[in-house]
Amino acid sequence: MKRLPVGVLLALAGCSGVQSPLAPSGREADALFSLFGLMMVVCGAVYVLVMVGLGWSLWRVYRRRTVAADSVSISDRTLDRGVWIAAGIIIVGLTTLIIGSFIADRAMFRARGRDAMLVRVTGHQWWWRIQYRDPATGSWIETANELHLPVGGTTRMSLGSADVIHSFWVPNVAGKLDMIPGRRNLLDLTPRREGWFRGQCAEFCGLQHAHMALDVKVESPAAFNAWLAAQARPAMTPGNGIAARGASLFAGSCAACHVVGGTTAHGRAGPDLTHVATRRSIAAGTLAMTRNNLQGWIAQPQAIKPGTSMPAVPMNPTDINAVAAYLEGLK
Ligand code: HEC
Ligand SMILES: [Cu+2]
């Protein structure tokens, strides 16, 4: 049986993932993938030609050497011809690449000017604030760390930052774009395949830069609309005794930094938690959304993301459990 080296298998495994520009699943990523292919072909061809030329000249030198050691010389005409061929290859190759990248760039911003749905994403150390403009009312619907996109449609991201420079990158769907304090950059996303993808902050932004990931769900327009409508609703009222106790503890210790829609929690320093339990992970893709992980995060955020601006609020385990039960009910 033929066996591929482990390194080759690992490299190939990287091409099919949920965070890979080599598995394009959107119009903008398609354009970049085609450009990547063109660059591989042009640069590969130049590489092969250079290697063949090198081999050929070495072979000629070697052949002559065996005849007479000191008669190695290249005529001016051969030299001239070589220079012209090299110049031709460079001009044709570079022109092809320039045209290719111009076309890819146009393809990526084709929807500009048309009315795409607008989503504001703001980078924070080290999480993402996400705000959808409600097409019906024009008001903003806020969530965090999990982006939903309707398949087939174009969503325009307005990217900004609240502190340092971050960079927004969901490789399967589109290229990356920096998020710069004081300005908004626009990026269009037109995913064409449903499923979960993963984004990642792509500009070093401090200690927990690596723990600044983004869950991305591409779904049917109907599922997307239902999701958006659910996100716009105020939070559920706690169902049982423990969760109700958790709610009052939350109002005392956490409300200064977090919003829970429909309650007195109005803090803007941290992610909106109105529907936190609908999300797949917490702390920007760092932990799966489970009761245990909520408890662990509340008890020791500094152990999970050292340097995060969420402090460990002093609470005993029973209270932490109650708060986690409350959050788990925020569907
Ligand atoms: C000083 C402000 C502050 C206080 C007080 C605070 N938090 Fe946070 N919280 C944050 C910040 C900032 C983050 C984002 C951290 C990150 O992911 O890097 C966060 C993240 C979270 C998350 C993860 C949300 C998500 O979608 O990823 C949960 C859950 C949470 N906090 C719960 C609580 C609870 C419960 C309390 C009270 C016990 C609390 N927080 C108190 C600032 C605060
Ligand atoms: Cu970042």
Side-chain angles (χ1 to χ4, degrees):
M1 195 189 118
K2 273 187 239 151
R3 291 171 66 186
L4 285 171
V6 174
V8 173
L9 286 178
L10 286 178
L12 288 176
C15 301
S16 59
V18 294
Q19 188 185 334
S20 167
L22 301 183
S25 308
R27 193 175 70 200
E28 293 77 17
D30 286 340
L32 287 173
F33 186 66
S34 308
L35 183 61
F36 173 73
L38 181 72
M39 287 191 164
M40 290 296 280
V41 169
V42 170
C43 298
V46 170
Y47 175 78
V48 169
L49 285 173
V50 169
M51 285 300 139
V52 167
L54 180 67
W56 178 72
S57 18
L58 286 176
W59 181 74
R60 276 185 45 151
V61 169
Y62 173 78
R63 277 284 301 270
R64 293 199 190 172
R65 268 266 191 94
T66 53
V67 181
D70 53 356
S71 70
V72 180
S73 70
I74 300 175
S75 75
D76 279 356
R77 272 196 52 205
T78 314
L79 202 60
D80 276 1
R81 217 172 40 205
V83 168
W84 279 116
I85 291 175
I89 291 173
I90 291 170
I91 290 168
V92 171
L94 286 184
T95 308
T96 312
L97 292 185
I98 289 170
I99 294 172
S101 53
F102 180 76
I103 292 173
D105 194 66
R106 294 301 299 251
M108 284 170 63
F109 294 104
R110 208 180 299 159
R112 187 155 279 182
R114 292 198 223 137
D115 48 0
M117 185 180 57
L118 189 67
V119 180
R120 263 191 355 204
V121 182
T122 307
H124 291 252
Q125 285 173 315
W126 293 283
W127 58 280
W128 314 82
R129 188 188 298 281
I130 302 176
Q131 295 160 303
Y132 287 78
R133 182 142 77 195
D134 189 337
T137 65
S139 60
W140 294 97
I141 303 168
E142 185 160 329
T143 178
N145 297 333
E146 187 173 301
L147 184 69
H148 284 235
L149 299 170
V151 72
T154 296
T155 307
R156 175 155 311 158
M157 318 301 294
S158 163
L159 304 171
S161 169
D163 37 50
V164 299
I165 298 177
H166 302 270
S167 188
F168 178 93
W169 196 22
V170 186
N172 296 65
V173 185
K176 70 180 167 200
L177 197 62
D178 278 2
M179 311 170 87
I180 296 169
R183 61 172 291 156
R184 314 248 20 140
N185 286 335
L186 297 179
L187 180 72
D188 286 343
L189 302 184
T190 315
R192 60 164 160 74
R193 190 160 66 84
E194 290 181 32
W196 282 99
F197 301 102
R198 190 173 184 278
Q200 168 69 40
C201 179
E203 177 71 47
F204 181 72
C205 59
L207 205 53
Q208 294 301 323
H209 162 66
H211 286 146
M212 186 168 167
L214 178 67
D215 288 316
V216 179
K217 186 170 197 201
V218 178
E219 56 197 350
S220 70
F224 171 79
N225 288 334
W227 172 83
L228 191 62
Q231 295 293 309
R233 283 196 271 279
M236 284 196 189
T237 34
N240 59 37
I242 301 185
R245 219 172 78 72
S248 66
L249 288 163
F250 186 93
S253 304
C254 321
C257 291
H258 291 287
V259 170
V260 176
T263 73
T264 54
H266 291 312
R268 304 276 301 158
D272 189 303
L273 299 180
T274 310
H275 299 288
V276 65
T278 62
R279 303 207 269 268
R280 180 154 109 138
S281 66
I282 54 169
T286 308
L287 297 172
M289 164 64 70
T290 64
R291 169 84 77 101
N292 275 341
N293 285 342
L294 280 170
Q295 288 175 327
W297 173 254
I298 299 165
Q300 292 196 313
Q302 297 298 328
I304 292 161
K305 277 176 103 165
T308 171
S309 38
M310 169 148 162
V313 179
M315 265 190 196
N316 65 48
T318 322
D319 288 353
I320 289 179
N321 183 37
V323 173
Y326 167 58
L327 294 180
E328 212 180 28
L330 295 180
K331 287 268 163 67

